[in-house]
Structures are given as structure tokens and as C-alpha cells.
Amino acid sequence: MARRPLPRILSTGTAQIARGREHLTRGRELARSVADGATDVLHPLITITRGLGRLAGAGRRKWSATPKDRRGPLLFLATSVILVVALIPYGPLLAAVSLMAAAAWTGRRPPVDEPSADVEEARTQRLQSLYEALVPYFSVPDDPTPLFTHGGEWEPAFPAYEFDDTGRVSHLVVRYPAHFTDVEPESRARIEQLLHAKSGRGREYRFEWDEEANSLIVDVLPPLSTGIAAQRFVTAPGEAVLGFTDPSAVQRTLPVTDGGEERDAPPVVWRTGPRSTEPHLLAVGQPGSGTTTLLRSLALQALLHGDVVIVDGSGTGDYACLIGRRGVLTVECGLAGALATLEWAAHETERRLIAANRARQAGHPPPEDVKRPLWIILDRPGTLGHLASADGHRDPQSLLQVPLRHGRAAGVTVVVAEQLDSLDALSDGVRQHTRARVVLGPAPGDQLQAILGAAPPTTPTAEVPAGRGYARLGAGRVHRLQVPATPDPYDDATSEAHRQAVMELLPERTAPADDDLVPAPEPDTAADVDAALTVAPAGAEG
């Protein structure tokens, strides 16, 4: 059956509607083009107007922050400047041009979204509560012009502040009176504890005290990246990367792979060898905090240029992946093997000193086997000491006296790791000569200060990832630290990416390490040992 054509009125109406839509679309495009053109033409005027508004707002804030007793002289000074500008030739014209230039520079950035009234009120209340909490610490009854008073204004005390997306303080500048005892650690600790509690727990804060300006800067630090795994770091011989820290803490960066992306990260580099001021390291932490990971990372870095001797006091087999590898002389877990290995290390240190002494006396450079670094890695010596005491043997830590005292001159580096609850088992020699310190995992502030020798500049948090802690090299500053992930590749819980990263760094397998460990020959005479120790550099201890 043939289809009947549509009525003429319907077809005509449809065509008119289509033409109307086309005209409407063209009209919208024309209006958008006109608006864009007007914006381009009026962009300088819009920028200058926005800048004038910002300058006016800054002037109002400056006037509000100025104490009332200083507003009169400030007003007189401003009036005098305006009068002088008005009297000099072309003064008003130059002032107007300068004002327009300043406004254009200030208004070059587009406006940001201003917080709503409710958000602004919540921020004001939070700052007011911080101000009221600080009043008992920063006020005295005899102060004629108190900066902190109950019910006072918080604007002069907090000249700068920032908030994060959750509405909590992320940056705060606190002005305090000159009579506050900011040189006493107890007074500082009270203020830091109060600001930590009032600004929001669960975050890490950094406090910077400026005694000269009577100001305190509080910053919330972002968490350190945990995506950096074991990899080949670009370092010189004698340098080892303990981990990575904040960009503002060090002046050096290394190219690393972080979560599959290439970037530059600020490292904490520990320098060993004859010119090191802290040639030995002590790492402590709670179980599972990452001390074994740190030692495994250092061992992989040391094998690139030297030999490694490992004594695992815990006996858990965390270093099984290193057995039989090139450069790994031995990995011992038992008491008898640990005593024999450490005794060999002491004799090896003496042999190196004697060989270097004889070479210097003959006018020759030290032999190559003396210049090759030797690392002694001892994990959980307290457990071995307890076993030795029960069996009537000597403490293995007593065999570390010669490597600790003269290891720097002999090219021997000692790394010791112990748990926080077993620090009393460490010998005095280990405590005295391990001047590079690392503390991993949560720890009380007083314990951190006792181990590191200085209080960390940040507030420690209760929950931290594995490998997170603090490091201090000698008498330097305390750094936040995140150890690169170096898990045991033989552990079933290790991810495939981390397992491959560690396996790629392991040297090739050689003959069993037990066959390679041959006791060094005894020194010829006691006089040779005394002479070697005497000619060792005066700064060799440490």
C-alpha cells in the first residue's frame, strides 16, 4: 500500500522550527564571541580593578593588625608621603602610574573561591579557641600591654594562618611576648604539645622557633612517600642512602622510581670510609618497624663496592637471600658462628692496620684488599649476648671493640640494629662509637632525644608505616626518614614488584660463603699491632 504524504501544514511547520533552532544556535555563538571579545578587550581593566581591590583589602588587614598606639604615627607618615608626592612636579601622575602598575601586578592571578560565611565563622572560632588556650602560657599579671588576654583579639597574635580542606590549621604564625622563656626546652614542649592537641591529632607538625623575632611558625608536614622501593641509587663510593626526607631538609636530590614514576627525591646520605666523621651506625626500633629492612638495604648498597659480613642474632633467616652471593663472606645465625665471625673481623681489622702501616712506611699506597670496604652488620646483638651469658661464653659485642675504635682507618664499617626494649643490652663501646643513629617506628619523645642526642623538630605520630622514623648523623640536625622498601624476597607476603626489585640488586651466586671465610693470619708480633694502632689517624676512633 502506498504511503500517504504528510499534510502540507505539518511539513512547513517542521521546516520553520528547524530554521528557528539554527538561528538560535547562531545567536548563541555570536553572543559568546562578543563576550569573549569584550573580555579580551577589557582584560587590563579587569586586572587593574581586581588588583586595586586586593591592595585595599591588604591595607585594611594591615591597619587592623597595627596596634592602636602605633596607628597615629602611621597615619601621620602616610599623610606626609601623600603631601610630598602632591607637591613635587609630576608627582600625582607618577603616583597614579605606580599604583596602576602595582594593581596590575597584584591582580594578575585570577580570583580564588572565597570560603562561605559558615566556613569563615568556623575558622574564626578555631583560631579564637587556640588564642584562648595560649593565654595562660603567654600572659603575666604585670604586663602593661598584654598580647594575650582572655576575651582579647586573636588577629595581632596570629598574623598569618592557613587551613586545609578539612577545616584544620595547616600553617600558623604565632607572635608571643618577649618575657616568654622560649630558650627553655620545657616551656617550648608545653606550647608544642598544646598546639598539637588543639590543631588536630594524627598529623605531624614542625615547629620553628625564632627567638629574635619572638615568633613561632607551625607547619603541618605531608607524609613521606612509601612508594620508593629498593633500587640502584646514584651515589659515590663510600656513600649509602639511609632513606628519604623532606625537600627543605637537605640540598641534594637523587633520581628515583616512586610508584612507577620517575622523580627527584631528597635523600639522607650516610658517608663512610676514612674521611667519615660517623663511620658506624646504630638503628633501633620496635618489632616490625623496619630495622631489618634498613640493614638489608645497606647490605645491598655495600655489596656494590665492598664485602659484607652478616650476623643475625634473631635467627629468623631474614638475610637468607644473601647467602652465597658475591661479596657476602658469611651469614651467621648461631652463637658459635657469630663468635668466630666477629673474632675474624677483629683480626682482619688488625691485619688491615698493619698492612696499611707497612705500606706507608715503605712509601707505597695501601694494598687493594685493605682499601676494599668491609661491612660488619650485626642484627639483635642482645639476643646473642643473652645466649652467651647462659652458656658461659664472652659477649659477642666485646669483639667489636677493635672494629669500632679503629674501623675508619682500616676501611671497616659496623652497623648494629637492636630493639627499643633491649637497649640496655648494648655495650658501652657500641653506644659510644655509633654516632650515626636511626630510630624507626613510634617512640616517646624523651626516648627519641636520648637515642638521637637531640629532640626531633616534629611531633611523632602514634601510627607510622614500616621504615618511618628519624635519622641523625653525628652532631647534625635530626631528619625525618622513610627507608626504601627492601623486604625479604623469600617471604610469601612480599609483593611481586618488591621481590623483583630486590632480586635485581642481588649479586650473582658464587661458592658457599662458609668456604670463603678463612681466618686471617695472626699478627706477627704484638709490636706490629701497637705500631699500627699508633700510626692510625688521630680521628680514627668513632
Side-chain angles (χ1 to χ4, degrees):
M1 180 182 295
R3 295 184 179 180
R4 299 177 61 183
L6 293 175
R8 183 176 181 81
I9 186 173
L10 294 180
S11 58
T12 305
T14 304
Q16 292 178 353
I17 293 175
R19 286 194 296 270
R21 289 180 178 178
E22 183 178 357
H23 292 318
L24 181 60
T25 302
R26 292 180 179 178
R28 289 177 179 177
E29 293 178 355
L30 179 61
R32 188 179 298 108
S33 301
V34 172
D36 294 341
T39 302
D40 294 338
V41 173
L42 300 177
H43 180 70
L45 181 60
I46 295 174
T47 301
I48 293 176
T49 304
R50 184 168 58 229
L52 290 175
R54 291 178 179 177
L55 291 177
R60 288 194 299 269
R61 289 191 297 270
K62 182 65 176 178
W63 179 261
S64 300
T66 303
K68 295 182 179 180
D69 55 342
R70 298 182 182 179
R71 292 182 179 179
L74 180 61
L75 183 61
F76 176 77
L77 178 62
T79 305
S80 302
V81 171
I82 294 175
L83 182 61
V84 171
V85 170
L87 293 178
I88 62 176
Y90 303 103
L93 179 60
L94 294 177
V97 172
S98 301
L99 180 61
M100 294 299 105
W105 178 261
T106 306
R108 69 188 186 280
R109 296 180 180 177
V112 297
D113 296 335
E114 297 293 337
S116 60
D118 297 338
V119 174
E120 190 68 26
E121 183 179 0
R123 293 179 177 181
T124 303
Q125 292 179 357
R126 183 176 288 272
L127 292 175
Q128 186 66 34
S129 64
L130 281 176
Y131 176 84
E132 293 291 340
L134 292 172
V135 168
Y137 302 93
F138 288 151
S139 62
V140 293
D142 300 333
D143 191 354
T145 57
L147 183 61
F148 286 83
T149 58
H150 288 290
E153 298 180 356
W154 56 265
E155 289 87 351
F158 303 148
Y161 55 87
E162 295 178 5
F163 290 85
D164 58 11
D165 296 337
T166 62
R168 296 191 295 180
V169 176
S170 60
H171 172 76
L172 182 66
V173 178
V174 181
R175 293 177 52 201
Y176 56 85
H179 58 73
F180 176 70
T181 55
D182 52 3
V183 296
E184 298 180 0
E186 295 80 7
S187 301
R188 289 188 175 190
R190 288 194 294 268
I191 299 300
E192 293 176 0
Q193 183 179 5
L194 174 65
L195 292 175
H196 182 199
K198 293 294 184 180
S199 300
R201 298 184 181 273
R203 302 185 297 174
E204 198 164 1
Y205 295 85
R206 180 177 59 199
F207 299 94
E208 296 181 6
W209 292 85
D210 188 353
E211 296 88 348
E212 184 178 1
N214 295 327
S215 65
L216 168 63
I217 301 177
V218 184
D219 286 310
V220 177
L221 299 178
L224 297 176
S225 175
T226 58
I228 302 177
Q231 54 193 281
R232 191 70 70 194
F233 301 116
V234 183
T235 56
E239 293 183 343
V241 176
L242 299 178
F244 296 89
T245 184
D246 299 300
S248 60
V250 294
Q251 299 179 354
R252 178 178 178 180
T253 59
L254 293 179
V256 298
T257 302
D258 186 357
E261 298 181 357
E262 300 289 338
R263 71 178 184 91
D264 293 336
V268 178
V269 178
W270 174 38
R271 293 174 176 84
T272 61
R275 292 180 174 83
S276 174
T277 57
E278 47 279 334
H280 309 301
L281 180 138
L282 173 63
V284 297
Q286 299 286 357
S289 59
T291 54
T292 302
T293 296
L294 173 62
L295 266 59
R296 194 182 295 111
S297 174
L298 292 176
L300 292 176
Q301 298 180 58
L303 288 174
L304 188 61
H305 302 287
D307 299 326
V308 176
V309 171
I310 300 176
V311 177
D312 184 10
S314 60
T316 57
D318 291 329
Y319 303 94
C321 61
L322 297 172
I323 296 177
R325 301 286 180 174
R326 179 183 54 82
V328 181
L329 302 183
T330 184
V331 178
E332 295 292 342
C333 300
L335 177 60
L339 290 174
T341 299
L342 295 179
E343 186 175 2
W344 173 86
H347 292 322
E348 174 66 12
T349 304
E350 294 175 352
R351 185 194 68 80
R352 288 178 174 227
L353 289 174
I354 294 173
N357 179 31
R358 290 175 177 174
R360 282 192 294 266
Q361 290 179 353
H364 301 297
E368 291 298 328
D369 61 338
V370 174
K371 294 191 297 183
R372 184 172 176 82
L374 174 62
W375 287 62
I376 304 173
I377 297 179
L378 181 57
D379 195 357
R380 297 295 304 279
T383 304
L384 294 175
H386 179 72
L387 295 176
S389 176
D391 294 343
H393 297 287
R394 62 188 302 183
D395 189 352
Q397 297 182 64
S398 62
L399 298 172
L400 292 175
Q401 289 296 327
V402 174
L404 286 172
R405 291 176 61 86
H406 306 286
R408 177 169 56 182
V412 178
T413 301
V414 180
V415 180
V416 180
E418 189 55 272
Q419 293 185 1
L420 282 174
D421 53 1
S422 302
L423 287 179
D424 297 338
L426 294 177
S427 64
D428 294 337
V430 173
R431 294 173 179 268
Q432 180 181 358
H433 296 291
T434 52
R435 297 173 183 171
R437 301 290 179 89
V438 174
V439 181
L440 299 179
D446 54 349
Q447 197 169 25
L448 286 173
Q449 185 172 1
I451 298 173
L452 299 174
T458 62
T459 56
T461 56
E463 297 181 0
V464 293
R468 174 69 177 82
Y470 298 95
R472 190 187 187 202
L473 303 178
R477 61 181 298 182
V478 180
H479 299 283
R480 289 204 307 165
L481 182 72
Q482 179 62 50
V483 177
T486 315
D488 182 7
Y490 296 161
D491 190 358
D492 295 337
T494 303
S495 64
E496 185 61 28
H498 288 170
R499 179 181 292 107
Q500 286 298 121
V502 176
M503 295 300 293
E504 290 177 359
L505 297 180
L506 288 173
E508 65 274 7
R509 287 192 177 275
T510 59
D514 294 338
D515 298 338
D516 297 338
L517 182 57
V518 179
E522 296 290 339
D524 294 341
T525 61
D528 289 337
V529 178
D530 295 339
L533 298 180
T534 302
V535 300
E541 295 187 5

